[in-house]
Amino acid sequence: MNVFLNPGHAPDGNPDPGAVNAETGLRECDVAKAVADLAEGYLKEAGVTVVGNLQDDSLAAITDAANESGADVFVSIHCNAASPAAQGTEVCIYPGSAEGEKLGGCILAQITDALGTANRGLKVRTPGVNGLYVLSHTDMPAVLVELAFISNEEDAELLSSRQDDFARAIARGVTDYEQMQGKKTKG
Ligand SMILES: [Zn+2]
């Protein structure tokens, strides 16, 4: 299986760091990059081919690269932000994508099991309503993982101190999905 990873927001936060924790200064772009790089290593160890790991402020460049990469699945990695009380993990998917739903479910289960974050479920993001560019413009099953809330004190601590566990969980989610595919294609 070929995987394309997309840590969210701009490299080194320039010009777009994504969400930032007001107290600690922890930046979404840095968490996403660290987790994606660690996940790339774990995926490779598991025999999964990582055909891209691209962080860029041009979303069109990312989806063009993904569509040309031969990726079977696309995984974008982000941190959520809202009021300080909001916490937990959610995975955004494209409407009507059964494969995106399966992949998202596998990753969501692994992260919430490993980190103990609240399971906020799969979130369908509909173009023209609340669509997400990287889900709408990729040709393959795609998910956008909101690891946890960088704006919440407990979640931000996990995002800072347990990046390796988030990365392992993403890699396990992908291989869980791959095994589901294998079973299906073997009848
Ligand atoms: Zn983001």
Side-chain angles (χ1 to χ4, degrees):
M1 170 162 293
N2 294 339
V3 178
F4 194 100
L5 296 172
N6 164 230
H9 305 281
D12 298 322
N14 185 18
D16 166 30
V20 180
N21 183 287
E23 284 177 22
T24 65
L26 183 68
R27 303 191 305 172
E28 180 182 0
C29 61
D30 299 323
V31 174
K33 176 78 171 113
V35 170
D37 287 350
L38 290 164
E40 179 176 358
Y42 292 124
L43 285 163
K44 286 177 174 169
E45 276 178 26
V48 175
T49 304
V50 178
V51 292
N53 178 354
L54 184 62
Q55 184 173 37
D56 199 301
D57 55 330
S58 163
L59 296 174
I62 290 165
T63 54
D64 285 351
N67 290 337
E68 288 163 14
S69 69
D72 298 306
V73 297
F74 177 94
V75 179
S76 189
I77 299 171
H78 286 254
C79 307
N80 226 330
S83 68
Q87 62 186 132
T89 303
E90 62 190 47
V91 177
C92 301
I93 58 173
Y94 189 77
S97 170
E99 295 305 313
E101 191 172 330
K102 279 187 222 166
L103 173 63
C106 289
I107 293 173
L108 182 63
Q110 286 288 354
I111 291 177
T112 53
D113 281 359
L115 278 300
T117 49
N119 187 335
R120 299 171 61 92
L122 298 174
K123 306 289 183 188
V124 175
R125 301 294 294 264
T126 304
V129 181
N130 57 0
L132 293 169
Y133 190 95
V134 295
L135 300 183
S136 304
H137 292 82
T138 38
D139 297 336
M140 70 295 297
V143 297
L144 187 148
V145 182
E146 298 277 13
L147 299 170
F149 280 76
I150 205 163
S151 48
N152 174 267
E153 191 178 345
E154 273 178 59
D155 274 15
E157 172 58 27
L158 297 176
L159 290 168
S160 167
S161 66
R162 298 193 54 195
Q163 294 171 354
D164 195 65
D165 292 310
F166 279 106
R168 287 177 190 270
I170 289 171
R172 282 198 303 268
V174 169
T175 55
D176 287 350
Y177 171 76
E178 185 179 30
Q179 281 166 18
M180 289 168 72
Q181 301 309 103
K183 279 177 196 152
K184 195 176 77 178
T185 54
K186 284 171 194 151

